[in-house]
mmCIF file of all heavy atoms in Angstrom:
data_model
loop_
_atom_site.group_PDB
_atom_site.id
_atom_site.type_symbol
_atom_site.label_atom_id
_atom_site.label_comp_id
_atom_site.label_asym_id
_atom_site.label_seq_id
_atom_site.Cartn_x
_atom_site.Cartn_y
_atom_site.Cartn_z
ATOM 1 N N ALA A 1 -6.423 15.039 22.081
ATOM 2 C CA ALA A 1 -5.339 14.067 21.902
ATOM 3 C C ALA A 1 -5.905 12.672 21.659
ATOM 4 O O ALA A 1 -5.418 11.925 20.797
ATOM 5 C CB ALA A 1 -4.427 14.062 23.123
ATOM 6 N N ALA A 2 -6.936 12.306 22.410
ATOM 7 C CA ALA A 2 -7.557 10.988 22.243
ATOM 8 C C ALA A 2 -8.222 10.868 20.874
ATOM 9 O O ALA A 2 -8.145 9.808 20.227
ATOM 10 C CB ALA A 2 -8.566 10.745 23.358
ATOM 11 N N LEU A 3 -8.877 11.936 20.413
ATOM 12 C CA LEU A 3 -9.516 11.909 19.102
ATOM 13 C C LEU A 3 -8.487 11.726 17.991
ATOM 14 O O LEU A 3 -8.786 11.140 16.946
ATOM 15 C CB LEU A 3 -10.297 13.205 18.870
ATOM 16 C CG LEU A 3 -11.543 13.411 19.739
ATOM 17 C CD1 LEU A 3 -12.064 14.834 19.577
ATOM 18 C CD2 LEU A 3 -12.629 12.408 19.393
ATOM 19 N N GLY A 4 -7.286 12.203 18.226
ATOM 20 C CA GLY A 4 -6.236 12.107 17.220
ATOM 21 C C GLY A 4 -5.609 10.730 17.092
ATOM 22 O O GLY A 4 -4.899 10.476 16.116
ATOM 23 N N ARG A 5 -5.885 9.847 18.046
ATOM 24 C CA ARG A 5 -5.262 8.522 17.978
ATOM 25 C C ARG A 5 -6.258 7.359 18.021
ATOM 26 O O ARG A 5 -5.856 6.206 17.971
ATOM 27 C CB ARG A 5 -4.249 8.355 19.118
ATOM 28 C CG ARG A 5 -4.829 8.466 20.518
ATOM 29 C CD ARG A 5 -3.769 8.174 21.577
ATOM 30 N NE ARG A 5 -4.323 8.266 22.924
ATOM 31 C CZ ARG A 5 -4.303 9.341 23.692
ATOM 32 N NH1 ARG A 5 -3.714 10.438 23.250
ATOM 33 N NH2 ARG A 5 -4.838 9.339 24.897
ATOM 34 N N CYS A 6 -7.541 7.660 18.089
ATOM 35 C CA CYS A 6 -8.506 6.562 18.190
ATOM 36 C C CYS A 6 -8.763 5.927 16.828
ATOM 37 O O CYS A 6 -8.631 6.564 15.782
ATOM 38 C CB CYS A 6 -9.809 7.041 18.817
ATOM 39 S SG CYS A 6 -10.820 8.136 17.798
ATOM 40 N N GLY A 7 -9.155 4.660 16.865
ATOM 41 C CA GLY A 7 -9.505 3.953 15.638
ATOM 42 C C GLY A 7 -10.999 3.861 15.431
ATOM 43 O O GLY A 7 -11.470 3.607 14.315
ATOM 44 N N LEU A 8 -11.760 4.050 16.531
ATOM 45 C CA LEU A 8 -13.220 4.011 16.459
ATOM 46 C C LEU A 8 -13.771 5.152 17.300
ATOM 47 O O LEU A 8 -13.413 5.302 18.470
ATOM 48 C CB LEU A 8 -13.756 2.675 16.982
ATOM 49 C CG LEU A 8 -15.278 2.543 17.131
ATOM 50 C CD1 LEU A 8 -15.965 2.654 15.775
ATOM 51 C CD2 LEU A 8 -15.642 1.219 17.811
ATOM 52 N N PHE A 9 -14.653 5.941 16.686
ATOM 53 C CA PHE A 9 -15.345 7.013 17.397
ATOM 54 C C PHE A 9 -16.832 6.692 17.392
ATOM 55 O O PHE A 9 -17.415 6.421 16.337
ATOM 56 C CB PHE A 9 -15.103 8.371 16.737
ATOM 57 C CG PHE A 9 -15.902 9.489 17.364
ATOM 58 C CD1 PHE A 9 -15.493 10.068 18.555
ATOM 59 C CD2 PHE A 9 -17.078 9.946 16.770
ATOM 60 C CE1 PHE A 9 -16.230 11.089 19.147
ATOM 61 C CE2 PHE A 9 -17.818 10.959 17.348
ATOM 62 C CZ PHE A 9 -17.399 11.535 18.540
ATOM 63 N N VAL A 10 -17.445 6.727 18.567
ATOM 64 C CA VAL A 10 -18.861 6.397 18.699
ATOM 65 C C VAL A 10 -19.574 7.544 19.405
ATOM 66 O O VAL A 10 -19.156 7.974 20.486
ATOM 67 C CB VAL A 10 -19.067 5.089 19.505
ATOM 68 C CG1 VAL A 10 -20.542 4.702 19.497
ATOM 69 C CG2 VAL A 10 -18.208 3.958 18.949
ATOM 70 N N SER A 11 -20.634 8.025 18.797
ATOM 71 C CA SER A 11 -21.456 9.083 19.400
ATOM 72 C C SER A 11 -22.792 8.478 19.806
ATOM 73 O O SER A 11 -23.468 7.844 18.987
ATOM 74 C CB SER A 11 -21.672 10.224 18.401
ATOM 75 O OG SER A 11 -22.533 11.211 18.933
ATOM 76 N N ILE A 12 -23.178 8.673 21.068
ATOM 77 C CA ILE A 12 -24.387 8.045 21.600
ATOM 78 C C ILE A 12 -25.298 9.107 22.232
ATOM 79 O O ILE A 12 -24.887 9.833 23.132
ATOM 80 C CB ILE A 12 -24.042 6.988 22.666
ATOM 81 C CG1 ILE A 12 -23.089 5.938 22.098
ATOM 82 C CG2 ILE A 12 -25.307 6.324 23.199
ATOM 83 C CD1 ILE A 12 -22.570 4.957 23.151
ATOM 84 N N GLY A 13 -26.522 9.174 21.777
ATOM 85 C CA GLY A 13 -27.522 10.015 22.421
ATOM 86 C C GLY A 13 -27.260 11.498 22.353
ATOM 87 O O GLY A 13 -27.593 12.231 23.286
ATOM 88 N N THR A 14 -26.683 11.969 21.244
ATOM 89 C CA THR A 14 -26.388 13.392 21.109
ATOM 90 C C THR A 14 -27.221 14.018 19.992
ATOM 91 O O THR A 14 -27.591 13.341 19.029
ATOM 92 C CB THR A 14 -24.892 13.636 20.815
ATOM 93 O OG1 THR A 14 -24.576 13.122 19.523
ATOM 94 C CG2 THR A 14 -24.027 12.952 21.852
ATOM 95 N N SER A 15 -27.454 15.310 20.117
ATOM 96 C CA SER A 15 -28.260 16.016 19.115
ATOM 97 C C SER A 15 -27.441 16.457 17.916
ATOM 98 O O SER A 15 -27.982 16.718 16.845
ATOM 99 C CB SER A 15 -28.925 17.239 19.752
ATOM 100 O OG SER A 15 -27.932 18.142 20.224
ATOM 101 N N GLY A 16 -26.132 16.593 18.106
ATOM 102 C CA GLY A 16 -25.269 17.029 17.014
ATOM 103 C C GLY A 16 -25.278 18.524 16.771
ATOM 104 O O GLY A 16 -24.785 18.987 15.739
ATOM 105 N N ASN A 17 -25.802 19.301 17.721
ATOM 106 C CA ASN A 17 -25.829 20.758 17.502
ATOM 107 C C ASN A 17 -25.178 21.543 18.627
ATOM 108 O O ASN A 17 -25.307 22.757 18.685
ATOM 109 C CB ASN A 17 -27.267 21.244 17.273
ATOM 110 C CG ASN A 17 -28.170 21.042 18.477
ATOM 111 O OD1 ASN A 17 -27.767 20.454 19.473
ATOM 112 N ND2 ASN A 17 -29.408 21.521 18.384
ATOM 113 N N VAL A 18 -24.466 20.869 19.526
ATOM 114 C CA VAL A 18 -23.774 21.559 20.618
ATOM 115 C C VAL A 18 -22.263 21.419 20.404
ATOM 116 O O VAL A 18 -21.726 20.309 20.424
ATOM 117 C CB VAL A 18 -24.172 20.973 21.988
ATOM 118 C CG1 VAL A 18 -23.398 21.668 23.108
ATOM 119 C CG2 VAL A 18 -25.673 21.122 22.230
ATOM 120 N N TYR A 19 -21.619 22.525 20.164
ATOM 121 C CA TYR A 19 -20.167 22.526 19.960
ATOM 122 C C TYR A 19 -19.454 22.891 21.258
ATOM 123 O O TYR A 19 -20.032 23.566 22.104
ATOM 124 C CB TYR A 19 -19.810 23.515 18.838
ATOM 125 C CG TYR A 19 -20.133 22.965 17.467
ATOM 126 C CD1 TYR A 19 -21.415 23.075 16.945
ATOM 127 C CD2 TYR A 19 -19.168 22.298 16.715
ATOM 128 C CE1 TYR A 19 -21.724 22.554 15.697
ATOM 129 C CE2 TYR A 19 -19.464 21.777 15.464
ATOM 130 C CZ TYR A 19 -20.742 21.906 14.963
ATOM 131 O OH TYR A 19 -21.041 21.382 13.733
ATOM 132 N N PRO A 20 -18.233 22.388 21.441
ATOM 133 C CA PRO A 20 -17.383 21.719 20.458
ATOM 134 C C PRO A 20 -17.648 20.230 20.261
ATOM 135 O O PRO A 20 -17.098 19.615 19.343
ATOM 136 C CB PRO A 20 -15.971 21.930 21.019
ATOM 137 C CG PRO A 20 -16.172 21.958 22.492
ATOM 138 C CD PRO A 20 -17.480 22.672 22.702
ATOM 139 N N ALA A 21 -18.494 19.605 21.082
ATOM 140 C CA ALA A 21 -18.680 18.158 20.989
ATOM 141 C C ALA A 21 -19.166 17.720 19.609
ATOM 142 O O ALA A 21 -18.762 16.657 19.107
ATOM 143 C CB ALA A 21 -19.655 17.695 22.068
ATOM 144 N N ALA A 22 -20.007 18.528 18.970
ATOM 145 C CA ALA A 22 -20.540 18.152 17.661
ATOM 146 C C ALA A 22 -19.450 18.045 16.600
ATOM 147 O O ALA A 22 -19.641 17.396 15.565
ATOM 148 C CB ALA A 22 -21.599 19.158 17.225
ATOM 149 N N GLY A 23 -18.302 18.663 16.849
ATOM 150 C CA GLY A 23 -17.201 18.599 15.898
ATOM 151 C C GLY A 23 -16.220 17.461 16.149
ATOM 152 O O GLY A 23 -15.282 17.271 15.364
ATOM 153 N N PHE A 24 -16.433 16.685 17.207
ATOM 154 C CA PHE A 24 -15.492 15.608 17.539
ATOM 155 C C PHE A 24 -15.416 14.555 16.433
ATOM 156 O O PHE A 24 -14.351 13.998 16.166
ATOM 157 C CB PHE A 24 -15.880 14.937 18.856
ATOM 158 C CG PHE A 24 -15.637 15.771 20.080
ATOM 159 C CD1 PHE A 24 -16.066 15.316 21.330
ATOM 160 C CD2 PHE A 24 -14.984 16.993 20.014
ATOM 161 C CE1 PHE A 24 -15.843 16.071 22.464
ATOM 162 C CE2 PHE A 24 -14.760 17.757 21.153
ATOM 163 C CZ PHE A 24 -15.202 17.284 22.386
ATOM 164 N N VAL A 25 -16.552 14.250 15.809
ATOM 165 C CA VAL A 25 -16.548 13.225 14.762
ATOM 166 C C VAL A 25 -15.640 13.634 13.613
ATOM 167 O O VAL A 25 -14.904 12.795 13.054
ATOM 168 C CB VAL A 25 -17.989 12.935 14.266
ATOM 169 C CG1 VAL A 25 -18.679 14.175 13.734
ATOM 170 C CG2 VAL A 25 -17.969 11.838 13.220
ATOM 171 N N GLN A 26 -15.642 14.905 13.260
ATOM 172 C CA GLN A 26 -14.779 15.359 12.178
ATOM 173 C C GLN A 26 -13.306 15.267 12.569
ATOM 174 O O GLN A 26 -12.466 14.875 11.752
ATOM 175 C CB GLN A 26 -15.144 16.792 11.794
ATOM 176 C CG GLN A 26 -16.528 16.919 11.166
ATOM 177 C CD GLN A 26 -16.998 18.344 11.096
ATOM 178 O OE1 GLN A 26 -17.201 19.002 12.113
ATOM 179 N NE2 GLN A 26 -17.191 18.848 9.890
ATOM 180 N N GLN A 27 -13.005 15.624 13.818
ATOM 181 C CA GLN A 27 -11.627 15.514 14.283
ATOM 182 C C GLN A 27 -11.151 14.070 14.244
ATOM 183 O O GLN A 27 -10.031 13.783 13.786
ATOM 184 C CB GLN A 27 -11.506 16.053 15.715
ATOM 185 C CG GLN A 27 -11.671 17.557 15.831
ATOM 186 C CD GLN A 27 -11.557 18.012 17.271
ATOM 187 O OE1 GLN A 27 -12.548 18.367 17.910
ATOM 188 N NE2 GLN A 27 -10.357 17.991 17.801
ATOM 189 N N ALA A 28 -11.982 13.155 14.708
ATOM 190 C CA ALA A 28 -11.585 11.745 14.720
ATOM 191 C C ALA A 28 -11.408 11.206 13.306
ATOM 192 O O ALA A 28 -10.438 10.485 13.015
ATOM 193 C CB ALA A 28 -12.624 10.927 15.481
ATOM 194 N N ARG A 29 -12.306 11.555 12.418
ATOM 195 C CA ARG A 29 -12.228 11.030 11.057
ATOM 196 C C ARG A 29 -11.029 11.596 10.301
ATOM 197 O O ARG A 29 -10.456 10.922 9.441
ATOM 198 C CB ARG A 29 -13.527 11.337 10.310
ATOM 199 C CG ARG A 29 -14.692 10.454 10.781
ATOM 200 C CD ARG A 29 -15.828 10.457 9.784
ATOM 201 N NE ARG A 29 -15.409 9.929 8.501
ATOM 202 C CZ ARG A 29 -16.196 9.889 7.419
ATOM 203 N NH1 ARG A 29 -17.434 10.362 7.493
ATOM 204 N NH2 ARG A 29 -15.753 9.392 6.284
ATOM 205 N N ARG A 30 -10.646 12.823 10.607
ATOM 206 C CA ARG A 30 -9.455 13.390 9.962
ATOM 207 C C ARG A 30 -8.217 12.548 10.242
ATOM 208 O O ARG A 30 -7.275 12.531 9.457
ATOM 209 C CB ARG A 30 -9.225 14.828 10.427
ATOM 210 C CG ARG A 30 -10.014 15.863 9.670
ATOM 211 C CD ARG A 30 -9.432 17.253 9.830
ATOM 212 N NE ARG A 30 -9.448 17.703 11.207
ATOM 213 C CZ ARG A 30 -10.445 18.375 11.772
ATOM 214 N NH1 ARG A 30 -11.530 18.660 11.060
ATOM 215 N NH2 ARG A 30 -10.383 18.760 13.022
ATOM 216 N N HIS A 31 -8.223 11.860 11.382
ATOM 217 C CA HIS A 31 -7.084 11.023 11.762
ATOM 218 C C HIS A 31 -7.330 9.552 11.447
ATOM 219 O O HIS A 31 -6.590 8.685 11.912
ATOM 220 C CB HIS A 31 -6.787 11.207 13.249
ATOM 221 C CG HIS A 31 -6.313 12.594 13.599
ATOM 222 N ND1 HIS A 31 -5.006 13.006 13.422
ATOM 223 C CD2 HIS A 31 -6.976 13.674 14.081
ATOM 224 C CE1 HIS A 31 -4.884 14.266 13.797
ATOM 225 N NE2 HIS A 31 -6.055 14.690 14.208
ATOM 226 N N GLY A 32 -8.363 9.260 10.674
ATOM 227 C CA GLY A 32 -8.570 7.905 10.178
ATOM 228 C C GLY A 32 -9.519 7.033 10.967
ATOM 229 O O GLY A 32 -9.648 5.837 10.672
ATOM 230 N N ALA A 33 -10.199 7.572 11.965
ATOM 231 C CA ALA A 33 -11.104 6.754 12.778
ATOM 232 C C ALA A 33 -12.373 6.404 11.999
ATOM 233 O O ALA A 33 -12.836 7.180 11.154
ATOM 234 C CB ALA A 33 -11.475 7.491 14.061
ATOM 235 N N TYR A 34 -12.932 5.266 12.320
ATOM 236 C CA TYR A 34 -14.243 4.876 11.815
ATOM 237 C C TYR A 34 -15.273 5.444 12.780
ATOM 238 O O TYR A 34 -15.115 5.344 14.002
ATOM 239 C CB TYR A 34 -14.351 3.352 11.746
ATOM 240 C CG TYR A 34 -15.612 2.845 11.093
ATOM 241 C CD1 TYR A 34 -15.835 3.056 9.732
ATOM 242 C CD2 TYR A 34 -16.569 2.160 11.825
ATOM 243 C CE1 TYR A 34 -16.989 2.589 9.115
ATOM 244 C CE2 TYR A 34 -17.726 1.689 11.222
ATOM 245 C CZ TYR A 34 -17.930 1.904 9.865
ATOM 246 O OH TYR A 34 -19.074 1.438 9.263
ATOM 247 N N ALA A 35 -16.345 6.053 12.249
ATOM 248 C CA ALA A 35 -17.288 6.784 13.096
ATOM 249 C C ALA A 35 -18.685 6.172 13.016
ATOM 250 O O ALA A 35 -19.229 5.972 11.922
ATOM 251 C CB ALA A 35 -17.342 8.254 12.681
ATOM 252 N N VAL A 36 -19.252 5.908 14.186
ATOM 253 C CA VAL A 36 -20.576 5.285 14.288
ATOM 254 C C VAL A 36 -21.472 6.153 15.173
ATOM 255 O O VAL A 36 -21.049 6.589 16.244
ATOM 256 C CB VAL A 36 -20.480 3.868 14.891
ATOM 257 C CG1 VAL A 36 -21.870 3.240 15.016
ATOM 258 C CG2 VAL A 36 -19.569 2.978 14.051
ATOM 259 N N GLU A 37 -22.691 6.371 14.715
ATOM 260 C CA GLU A 37 -23.686 7.083 15.510
ATOM 261 C C GLU A 37 -24.713 6.088 16.051
ATOM 262 O O GLU A 37 -25.312 5.324 15.291
ATOM 263 C CB GLU A 37 -24.389 8.142 14.663
ATOM 264 C CG GLU A 37 -25.530 8.847 15.400
ATOM 265 C CD GLU A 37 -26.113 10.009 14.626
ATOM 266 O OE1 GLU A 37 -26.937 9.771 13.721
ATOM 267 O OE2 GLU A 37 -25.726 11.155 14.925
ATOM 268 N N LEU A 38 -24.922 6.117 17.371
ATOM 269 C CA LEU A 38 -25.964 5.337 18.026
ATOM 270 C C LEU A 38 -26.926 6.337 18.650
ATOM 271 O O LEU A 38 -26.544 7.099 19.536
ATOM 272 C CB LEU A 38 -25.380 4.425 19.106
ATOM 273 C CG LEU A 38 -24.243 3.483 18.706
ATOM 274 C CD1 LEU A 38 -23.791 2.674 19.921
ATOM 275 C CD2 LEU A 38 -24.661 2.554 17.575
ATOM 276 N N ASN A 39 -28.169 6.337 18.194
ATOM 277 C CA ASN A 39 -29.079 7.393 18.626
ATOM 278 C C ASN A 39 -30.523 6.933 18.477
ATOM 279 O O ASN A 39 -30.808 5.958 17.768
ATOM 280 C CB ASN A 39 -28.856 8.657 17.781
ATOM 281 C CG ASN A 39 -28.988 9.934 18.581
ATOM 282 O OD1 ASN A 39 -29.476 9.933 19.710
ATOM 283 N ND2 ASN A 39 -28.563 11.051 17.992
ATOM 284 N N LEU A 40 -31.408 7.638 19.148
ATOM 285 C CA LEU A 40 -32.827 7.334 18.995
ATOM 286 C C LEU A 40 -33.275 7.640 17.570
ATOM 287 O O LEU A 40 -34.094 6.926 16.984
ATOM 288 C CB LEU A 40 -33.645 8.141 20.001
ATOM 289 C CG LEU A 40 -35.150 7.849 20.048
ATOM 290 C CD1 LEU A 40 -35.404 6.389 20.448
ATOM 291 C CD2 LEU A 40 -35.846 8.785 21.024
ATOM 292 N N GLU A 41 -32.730 8.714 17.011
ATOM 293 C CA GLU A 41 -33.006 9.108 15.629
ATOM 294 C C GLU A 41 -31.775 9.800 15.072
ATOM 295 O O GLU A 41 -30.829 10.099 15.805
ATOM 296 C CB GLU A 41 -34.210 10.046 15.570
ATOM 297 C CG GLU A 41 -34.056 11.264 16.439
ATOM 298 C CD GLU A 41 -35.343 12.053 16.600
ATOM 299 O OE1 GLU A 41 -36.421 11.505 16.322
ATOM 300 O OE2 GLU A 41 -35.252 13.220 17.007
ATOM 301 N N GLU A 42 -31.764 10.052 13.789
ATOM 302 C CA GLU A 42 -30.605 10.691 13.168
ATOM 303 C C GLU A 42 -30.365 12.070 13.759
ATOM 304 O O GLU A 42 -31.301 12.847 13.951
ATOM 305 C CB GLU A 42 -30.812 10.812 11.655
ATOM 306 C CG GLU A 42 -30.815 9.470 10.932
ATOM 307 C CD GLU A 42 -30.957 9.630 9.436
ATOM 308 O OE1 GLU A 42 -31.243 10.767 8.974
ATOM 309 O OE2 GLU A 42 -30.784 8.638 8.711
ATOM 310 N N SER A 43 -29.090 12.355 14.057
ATOM 311 C CA SER A 43 -28.726 13.662 14.587
ATOM 312 C C SER A 43 -28.528 14.651 13.444
ATOM 313 O O SER A 43 -28.556 14.284 12.264
ATOM 314 C CB SER A 43 -27.429 13.559 15.398
ATOM 315 O OG SER A 43 -26.324 13.380 14.521
ATOM 316 N N LEU A 44 -28.277 15.909 13.797
ATOM 317 C CA LEU A 44 -28.002 16.917 12.776
ATOM 318 C C LEU A 44 -26.716 16.615 12.024
ATOM 319 O O LEU A 44 -26.544 17.039 10.892
ATOM 320 C CB LEU A 44 -27.924 18.305 13.424
ATOM 321 C CG LEU A 44 -29.225 18.870 13.996
ATOM 322 C CD1 LEU A 44 -28.969 20.217 14.647
ATOM 323 C CD2 LEU A 44 -30.288 18.991 12.920
ATOM 324 N N GLY A 45 -25.814 15.860 12.665
ATOM 325 C CA GLY A 45 -24.539 15.548 12.030
ATOM 326 C C GLY A 45 -24.469 14.167 11.424
ATOM 327 O O GLY A 45 -23.383 13.628 11.218
ATOM 328 N N VAL A 46 -25.604 13.588 11.109
ATOM 329 C CA VAL A 46 -25.638 12.193 10.648
ATOM 330 C C VAL A 46 -24.741 11.948 9.432
ATOM 331 O O VAL A 46 -24.129 10.878 9.308
ATOM 332 C CB VAL A 46 -27.093 11.765 10.345
ATOM 333 C CG1 VAL A 46 -27.707 12.609 9.247
ATOM 334 C CG2 VAL A 46 -27.152 10.287 9.990
ATOM 335 N N SER A 47 -24.631 12.922 8.534
ATOM 336 C CA SER A 47 -23.840 12.730 7.311
ATOM 337 C C SER A 47 -22.350 12.603 7.586
ATOM 338 O O SER A 47 -21.590 12.181 6.708
ATOM 339 C CB SER A 47 -24.084 13.890 6.341
ATOM 340 O OG SER A 47 -23.640 15.116 6.910
#
């Protein structure tokens, strides 16, 4: 529900390969959120 109404989605310190969390960015963006990755290095879901 929160992903469906947020305007900004930020992922911090994640590998991008553990679901369902790795799919949260797609859910947020489908509803128009701007998505930012903060990480030591690019995750698997960087694109």
